Amino acid sequence: MSRQLISASRITIRHANGFVALEDFSLQVEEGEFVGIVGPSGCGKTTFLDAVAGLIPVASGELLFNGHAVKGVVPGEVGYLFQKDSLLPWRTAYGNVCAALELKGVPKAEWPARANEVLHKVGLGRFTDRYPSQLSGGMRRRVQLAVLLAFDPPVILMDEPFGALDAQTRTIIEDDFLRLWGENRKTVLFVTHDLEEAICMCDRVVILTAHPGTVKEVLHVPLPRPRTVDEAKFADGFQPTLRTLSTSLRAEVGRTLAL
């Protein structure tokens, strides 16, 4: 049976300048779920990821991780894939993965085998000695996925991870991530502005209201797994889900523009 890994109960998050990003926000995520979060710009999507990671506190309400209140960063528990590259520019692809293994506490003697294994899994077996500046945007994303695989956290937070890629590269890497995710079913919180991507990747999609953000609706994605992006887009339930998601979100975007 699955267990509840993340639980937010009526939380409010306020930034240092007093700006309320999330208000009365509640969401429960079970172990192994792939949950998408969509909403208008400025509604607090990234703020929620930051709170789960322990980077910012909640002002009120209760945020639990594995049954314990989140009161700061818990080493080894959360991996975070940001919008922008977070690779160490002075290290090769291999060196970046080894940095994750060192942080994880893996014995140094195991680094070569573990690092090469994950780099091969993401299709970079021939590019282990390349520095980030020598890699394309898609390849740098692959290195970051390899770093996550090496770090091996129970929860992966992804903040528009593929948004900067061209359409073809994006689809390929989305499929690669779905394949890799299917091997271990880590718990994933996935923020995106792309509604099609949310449906193709996720088990549930959480729609946030305009600022201050709270949960407006949660949509279950009626598509079987395993799946690829193309398979998802041609599945029977894709278009009805997209229409429902688009209609619900459009109203919130309209509210944002009217503010």
Side-chain angles (χ1 to χ4, degrees):
M1 292 180 63
S2 59
R3 61 190 177 95
Q4 198 173 93
L5 194 58
I6 298 167
S7 175
S9 299
R10 305 195 69 174
I11 65 170
T12 292
I13 300 178
R14 185 179 293 110
H15 293 306
N17 62 2
F19 179 85
V20 178
L22 290 173
E23 188 172 54
D24 199 26
F25 177 100
S26 297
L27 178 67
Q28 284 70 47
V29 180
E30 293 187 351
E31 185 177 32
E33 270 198 293
F34 200 131
V35 177
I37 303 175
V38 302
S41 295
C43 71
K45 300 183 295 297
T46 299
T47 296
F48 180 60
L49 296 193
D50 289 346
V52 172
L55 301 177
I56 56 175
V58 299
S60 63
E62 186 178 61
L63 179 59
L64 303 179
F65 182 95
N66 201 17
H68 302 283
V70 177
K71 296 182 178 179
V73 176
V74 181
E77 294 297 314
V78 174
Y80 206 144
L81 189 58
F82 299 94
Q83 294 180 42
K84 296 182 179 179
D85 286 348
S86 56
L87 298 174
L88 303 175
W90 60 89
R91 288 198 177 209
T92 62
Y94 173 85
N96 270 278
V97 174
C98 286
L101 294 170
E102 182 178 9
L103 190 62
K104 188 72 174 177
V106 175
K108 193 170 184 178
E110 298 179 21
W111 292 2
R114 297 272 290 270
N116 283 306
E117 178 187 6
V118 295
L119 285 165
H120 275 82
K121 277 189 173 183
V122 299
L124 292 176
R126 295 187 295 112
F127 301 94
T128 60
D129 60 347
R130 302 288 180 89
Y131 290 90
S133 62
Q134 298 172 314
L135 299 171
S136 68
M139 294 170 83
R140 289 195 298 272
R141 269 297 103 153
R142 289 176 183 274
V143 176
Q144 290 177 296
L145 291 179
V147 169
L148 278 177
L149 290 174
F151 192 58
D152 195 32
V155 172
I156 296 175
L157 309 177
M158 306 181 80
D159 189 7
E160 298 186 61
F162 312 127
L165 303 176
D166 65 85
Q168 185 174 9
T169 301
R170 182 174 182 164
T171 298
I172 292 170
I173 294 183
E174 287 168 342
D175 282 343
D176 284 344
F177 185 74
L178 284 172
R179 173 179 53 81
L180 293 167
W181 175 80
E183 294 177 1
N184 49 39
R185 297 282 179 131
K186 299 289 185 181
T187 305
V188 177
L189 287 177
F190 186 87
V191 167
T192 180
H193 281 289
D194 187 321
L195 302 188
E196 292 190 357
E197 180 179 63
I199 296 168
C200 291
M201 303 289 285
C202 301
D203 298 315
R204 291 190 292 153
V205 181
V206 181
I207 305 165
L208 301 193
T209 64
H211 166 262
T214 192
V215 175
K216 176 182 182 180
E217 187 177 358
V218 179
L219 241 60
H220 290 264
V221 177
L223 305 181
R225 293 195 187 274
R227 61 181 182 248
T228 66
V229 170
D230 284 340
E231 287 171 346
K233 288 182 178 179
F234 287 100
D236 289 341
F238 180 82
Q239 287 299 330
T241 305
L242 180 59
R243 282 194 296 270
T244 301
L245 185 56
S246 179
T247 300
S248 183
L249 184 57
R250 188 181 298 117
E252 298 308 314
V253 173
R255 286 182 58 209
T256 299
L257 296 175
L259 292 176

